[in-house]
Amino acid sequence: MNIKQNILEFMEERTYKPMTIKELINGMNFSSSDTQLLKEILKEMEKEGLVIVTRKKKYALPHRLNIILGVLQGNKKGFAFLIPDDKTMGDVYISPENCNGAMNDDRVMVKLLPKTERGNSLEGEVYRIIERANHEVVGTFEDSRNFGFVVPDNRKIFYDIFIPKGETEGAKTGAKVVAEITKWPEKRRNPEGKIVEVLGQKDDIGTDILSVIRQYNLSEHFPEEVKKQAESIPDHVLDQELKKREDLRQIEMVTIDGEDAKDLDDAVSVQMLENGNYLLGVHIADVSHYVRENSPLDQEAYNRGCSVYLVDRVIPMLPRELSNGICSLNAGEDRLALTVFMEIDKKGDVKNHRITESVINVNERMTYTDVTSILEDDDQELRQRYGYLYKQFKDMEDLCRILRRRRMERGSIDFDMEESKINLDFEGNPTSIYKYQREISNQIIEEFMLKCNETIAESMFWLDIPFIYRIHEEPDSDRLLEFNEFIHNFGYRLKGIGGDIHPKALQTLLEEIKGRKEESIISAIMLRSLKRARYNAENLGHFGLAAKFYTHFTSPIRRYPDLVIHRIIKQMNGNKLNERRINILKDKVQDIAYKSSQRERLAEEAERETEDLKKAEYMSSRIGQEYDGIISGVTSYGIFVELENTIEGLVRVTALEDDYYIYNDKHYCFIGERTKKVYRLGDSVRVKVLNVDIPSREIDFEFVE
């Protein structure tokens, strides 16, 4: 056991009272010669927030003094919430005067305050800032006579940054800039900074997306040593590699992706066996052959964690020489792959499987649109063009339906969430926004990848070697009780609520609401009631999929955990997992899981930010136009309405002029005091676009009778 752990356990004892270093040495039976070492360890523990030092230079555990660790989440109105590390606790409200210079995403210690008029909710004051998150801030520059200031794009950063006259880099009012903070905020004093980059005027073409890229610290460029390594990799499969692998080039297989996709990391094949079973082949690009562990390419991929798919571009995890080149399963070209063959019976059970390092040659680069047209629309032109693959497509469709039915039977939750497709012109202006449809072709790839990921996860679990699982923990009972109360307004209820709920109950509800006007709202609120899926070194199961075992194996071009999993499997197949290697992996996999989960969340936020930006831009040229929509949210300050194209706007309470409306938080509705008119969740309404604020991504509607 290490010294840190010893100290923590000693301080956790009920009889422990805050001690000085000298008292700790005596109490823990250290020798006096260990004083300097203990000082250094305690200083490190204090920096990490594991211990705190009182005014009398005594050491204590934060929670024993009513102090909580966590991350601050700011609000544009100036207050904040602490998101505690201890997930059993609720969020802690921090008033503006109690933020004490802390900013959004800072890691902080918060001292709990006595219960106030806020009732049962926790309230606190920032006691100490452990780690600053915002060393650079992206925003809009405003100039004045004596100084300038930057208004952050991220509204959760509620401070403007003051810029001295000599530190503006020539920025003019209205410029999008990157400001480096030189003095952190204190109580009643804003932060100060200097401009380190001028991105362009806020209305210039491309400045909007570039601002988001800088805000999330994403890099479109790779370090020189990474580029050199990528350029040194041959753009074709070498002959000596063919001899080491199983040759699957004679098997007919296809990739099925969106029209715009260039990083093709999965191909599929289906063959019918003599016993009536299906032989499903999932062939995944062998990225690990080219991205060697601890190389510059590998370190960069680890730091990025995943590719980021913004509305107008992809910021790849790997250089394009790999992601769009030698690693991409381009049709008609030999490629190295890691292939999983699964024999699946008519019930959807995997009877046996094997994993092999292979060389493949994809027959056709298919799109979701074309495969759907062949299978559902019987498109004769496409049928003739891909006639030699037609039977395989039909077998894929049959197997897909078998796997999907089996998954639904066990209780897997199938969220048919509405995704939007945003088309842009050459200048980046949004020209159309519409709801993206999941067709049979999308479902084929989805089901095949799910089955492959489950099969890999289960086989690796029973081998008991270090691994990275994709987990989704069971939801908190309190959140589910709130959700059950919410759906009661629509006449629904969850079965089995109060005990350990099975995902089947949630899937049954989704089937009940299918096709109803309230479907998208209930689905969205249900999703918010569940925990977020993440990577973990321990297999805790996947609640949403009702799966005991799950991982991510199928996208190593764009997800780092998949790449690491490929390495582990190949080392296992090559009998290279000796005791030393297993111990190294034990130390690495949890770190990779944690870092990858963080990077995934950041990517999702950046992607959502660019979508919201383009939706606001799209509606800004449609002020005064009318649309049909559905009430998707009701809050004390207004009513959210979602349009058919997935764009959401707000009807503010102040825009309800025909009556005085009273907010009913129990039933999520507004009721007119005189007219008794009711606006409730799920109601169909007609709205007019009233105003659009592009910087804040806010769209205002008003109701049209």
Side-chain angles (χ1 to χ4, degrees):
M1 187 181 294
N2 62 37
I3 297 175
K4 277 188 186 179
Q5 193 62 36
N6 273 328
I7 293 170
L8 291 173
E9 290 189 1
F10 181 69
M11 290 183 176
E12 283 285 5
E13 292 176 8
R14 287 178 60 191
T15 54
Y16 180 82
K17 293 180 180 179
M19 293 182 178
T20 63
I21 286 184
K22 189 174 181 181
E23 289 168 337
L24 274 170
I25 287 173
N26 293 332
M28 296 186 68
N29 296 319
F30 283 106
S31 68
S32 56
S33 61
D34 290 328
T35 302
Q36 187 56 38
L37 174 64
L38 190 60
K39 277 183 179 178
E40 290 173 6
I41 291 173
L42 285 169
K43 191 173 182 179
E44 190 177 317
M45 291 175 74
E46 184 189 1
K47 190 176 179 182
E48 292 172 0
L50 297 174
V51 299
I52 62 171
V53 186
T54 68
R55 289 174 184 170
K56 295 183 178 180
K57 303 294 183 186
K58 294 188 176 185
Y59 291 87
L61 295 175
H63 68 87
R64 298 283 287 267
L65 298 179
N66 232 11
I67 291 172
I68 302 166
L69 274 72
V71 174
L72 200 77
Q73 189 174 83
N75 184 284
K76 63 183 179 182
K77 295 182 179 177
F79 60 83
F81 285 95
L82 177 79
I83 312 301
D85 291 347
D86 182 355
K87 299 307 177 190
T88 63
M89 291 188 63
D91 297 347
V92 181
Y93 173 78
I94 316 289
S95 65
E97 59 270 20
N98 285 332
C99 286
N100 294 336
M103 299 171 70
N104 181 61
D105 281 342
D106 283 351
R107 183 158 178 73
V108 296
M109 286 181 171
V110 165
K111 188 172 183 63
L112 290 180
L113 299 176
K115 290 284 175 68
T116 63
E117 64 274 5
R118 290 183 63 83
N120 292 323
S121 61
L122 297 171
E123 186 169 353
E125 178 179 6
V126 173
Y127 174 80
R128 201 180 114 213
I129 298 162
I130 299 171
E131 186 178 0
R132 290 286 190 178
N134 305 280
H135 296 277
E136 291 186 342
V137 174
V138 176
T140 305
F141 180 73
E142 299 290 338
D143 201 5
S144 67
R145 181 178 297 176
N146 301 316
F147 56 84
F149 59 93
V150 173
V151 181
D153 284 354
N154 185 350
R155 294 303 174 96
K156 292 179 181 177
I157 299 175
F158 39 72
Y159 298 103
D160 291 345
I161 295 113
F162 284 89
I163 310 293
K165 271 296 181 183
E167 303 286 359
T168 63
E169 279 291 300
K172 297 177 181 178
T173 294
K176 284 287 182 186
V177 298
V178 181
E180 179 187 313
I181 294 179
T182 55
K183 286 185 182 177
W184 296 107
E186 295 176 2
K187 209 161 192 173
R188 299 186 184 86
R189 199 197 79 185
N190 281 45
E192 290 184 23
K194 62 179 181 179
I195 306 301
V196 293
E197 187 177 5
V198 179
L199 303 176
Q201 290 302 112
K202 61 182 179 181
D203 296 326
D204 289 351
I205 295 170
T207 300
D208 51 0
I209 299 294
L210 186 58
S211 298
V212 175
I213 290 171
R214 291 290 191 276
Q215 180 183 329
Y216 287 91
N217 200 24
L218 304 173
S219 178
E220 294 186 273
H221 306 289
F222 288 87
E224 199 58 39
E225 61 177 347
V226 174
K227 288 191 327 196
K228 283 181 179 176
Q229 188 185 354
E231 289 164 1
S232 70
I233 294 171
D235 62 358
H236 61 281
V237 175
L238 302 179
D239 289 341
Q240 59 260 38
E241 288 304 322
L242 302 180
K243 301 168 187 173
K244 304 174 187 175
R245 293 173 175 261
E246 184 171 353
D247 191 343
L248 303 179
R249 288 175 291 182
Q250 77 285 359
I251 294 179
E252 289 179 350
M253 62 181 71
V254 297
T255 59
I256 307 177
D257 291 275
E259 280 83 353
D260 302 332
K262 293 182 177 66
D263 49 353
L264 314 178
D265 46 19
D266 58 270
V268 291
S269 62
V270 171
Q271 298 166 276
M272 296 305 299
L273 301 175
E274 290 182 5
N275 61 6
N277 290 345
Y278 298 86
L279 182 64
L280 169 62
V282 175
H283 315 272
I284 307 300
D286 187 1
V287 180
S288 63
H289 177 79
Y290 301 103
V291 181
R292 299 303 172 108
E293 190 171 11
N294 298 323
S295 67
L297 270 171
D298 180 50
Q299 190 58 45
E300 184 69 14
Y302 165 78
N303 289 333
R304 291 178 179 238
C306 59
S307 297
V308 185
Y309 293 82
L310 303 180
V311 74
D312 69 336
R313 72 194 78 184
V314 178
I315 298 179
M317 182 178 80
L318 299 169
R320 285 180 170 80
E321 289 89 346
L322 274 69
S323 60
N324 296 359
I326 187 62
C327 292
S328 184
L329 304 183
N330 300 329
E333 298 179 17
D334 289 349
R335 287 291 184 261
L336 303 183
L338 208 54
T339 290
V340 184
F341 282 117
M342 293 158 278
E343 182 183 345
I344 303 173
D345 65 16
K346 298 288 186 183
K347 295 178 181 177
D349 290 326
V350 177
K351 307 309 290 182
N352 57 69
H353 79 279
R354 70 184 183 94
I355 308 168
T356 182
E357 293 177 46
S358 62
V359 57
I360 63 173
N361 193 303
V362 171
N363 293 72
E364 300 284 354
R365 189 263 198 249
M366 303 298 300
T367 66
Y368 291 125
T369 303
D370 282 353
V371 174
T372 297
S373 295
I374 291 168
L375 292 174
E376 293 196 340
D377 304 330
D378 199 27
D379 186 303
Q380 290 302 306
E381 185 180 338
L382 289 172
R383 272 197 61 174
Q384 187 172 357
R385 181 179 171 187
Y386 301 112
Y388 73 104
L389 293 169
Y390 180 70
K391 183 182 182 305
Q392 188 170 183
F393 288 145
K394 294 299 288 184
D395 291 338
M396 286 181 182
E397 180 181 17
D398 293 342
L399 178 56
C400 166
R401 296 193 191 284
I402 288 169
L403 294 175
R404 182 177 171 78
R405 183 168 61 248
R406 183 59 189 269
R407 191 163 58 84
M408 293 300 103
E409 284 171 356
R410 77 180 187 211
S412 177
I413 305 171
D414 189 41
F415 285 105
D416 191 9
M417 297 304 294
E418 295 175 345
E419 295 181 32
S420 53
K421 174 68 176 173
I422 303 174
N423 290 324
L424 308 176
D425 63 19
F426 289 114
E427 294 185 341
N429 301 309
T431 56
S432 63
I433 299 177
Y434 55 90
K435 200 181 295 182
Y436 185 77
Q437 300 294 332
R438 280 170 70 208
E439 307 286 1
I440 182 62
S441 53
N442 304 78
Q443 292 174 25
I444 285 171
I445 295 302
E446 184 179 302
E447 294 300 333
F448 289 1
M449 298 306 124
L450 286 172
K451 181 53 68 178
C452 180
N453 286 332
E454 285 183 52
T455 302
I456 292 287
E458 182 171 5
S459 67
M460 298 304 286
F461 175 80
W462 294 115
L463 289 169
D464 194 26
I465 58 177
F467 203 61
I468 299 174
Y469 296 93
R470 180 70 171 177
I471 67 166
H472 187 216
E473 294 152 288
E474 292 187 4
D476 294 328
S477 56
D478 289 349
R479 298 292 296 271
L480 282 182
L481 285 169
E482 286 177 18
F483 176 67
N484 195 43
E485 189 175 326
F486 164 73
I487 62 174
H488 186 69
N489 291 289
F490 297 92
Y492 303 107
R493 69 181 183 86
L494 284 178
K495 294 172 184 173
I497 198 76
D500 290 337
I501 194 163
H502 192 276
K504 182 84 172 174
L506 298 175
Q507 179 55 35
T508 300
L509 173 63
L510 289 177
E511 289 166 3
E512 280 186 68
I513 64 176
K514 191 78 176 170
R516 296 178 181 269
K517 63 181 183 180
E518 63 266 22
E519 179 185 4
S520 62
I521 297 141
I522 291 179
S523 296
I525 301 294
M526 181 192 292
L527 191 59
R528 281 181 229 152
S529 303
L530 302 178
K531 291 184 178 177
R532 185 193 287 266
R534 60 187 175 92
Y535 298 106
N536 199 52
E538 184 183 355
N539 177 48
L540 301 177
H542 197 293
F543 178 83
L545 292 171
K548 292 180 181 177
F549 314 96
Y550 197 65
T551 191
H552 273 171
F553 166 85
T554 53
S555 295
I557 291 177
R558 60 186 180 89
R559 292 190 305 230
Y560 190 71
D562 305 51
L563 171 58
V564 174
I565 284 166
H566 280 221
R567 285 193 189 125
I568 294 171
I569 290 171
K570 287 169 69 176
Q571 288 165 4
M572 180 196 68
N573 285 349
N575 295 315
K576 295 177 181 176
L577 284 183
N578 54 32
E579 186 178 349
R580 179 176 173 276
R581 180 61 187 162
I582 285 173
N583 287 333
I584 290 172
L585 283 174
K586 280 179 182 175
D587 290 338
K588 291 185 77 168
V589 288
Q590 187 55 51
D591 170 68
I592 292 168
Y594 178 74
K595 176 75 179 283
S596 299
S597 297
Q598 282 188 316
R599 295 300 299 176
E600 178 188 44
R601 284 195 290 275
L602 183 138
E604 287 173 355
E605 287 176 16
E607 289 163 2
R608 194 181 308 117
E609 184 84 10
T610 57
E611 283 192 12
D612 290 346
L613 170 67
K614 291 303 174 184
K615 286 178 177 179
E617 285 182 13
Y618 181 79
M619 297 307 284
S620 68
S621 63
R622 287 160 176 79
I623 291 173
Q625 293 187 21
E626 297 181 6
Y627 296 89
D628 291 322
I630 290 177
I631 294 179
S632 56
V634 180
T635 68
S636 59
Y637 53 85
I639 300 165
F640 287 95
V641 176
E642 185 178 300
L643 309 184
E644 178 64 25
N645 59 9
T646 74
I647 290 175
E648 191 175 58
L650 176 67
V651 178
R652 300 180 187 274
V653 175
T654 51
L656 300 173
E657 297 179 341
D658 63 324
D659 198 353
Y660 178 74
Y661 285 85
I662 299 167
Y663 173 56
N664 186 319
D665 62 340
K666 293 287 185 188
H667 297 286
Y668 301 92
C669 66
F670 273 98
I671 304 171
E673 192 175 56
R674 177 178 51 80
T675 61
K676 302 304 178 189
K677 185 190 290 184
V678 179
Y679 290 108
R680 64 168 63 83
L681 271 169
D683 282 353
S684 296
V685 292
R686 190 163 180 81
V687 294
K688 180 192 287 186
V689 184
L690 194 62
N691 184 49
V692 177
D693 183 359
I694 294 175
S696 64
R697 315 333 184 209
E698 291 177 354
I699 302 167
D700 287 342
F701 294 149
E702 65 177 352
F703 288 125
V704 177
E705 292 300 328

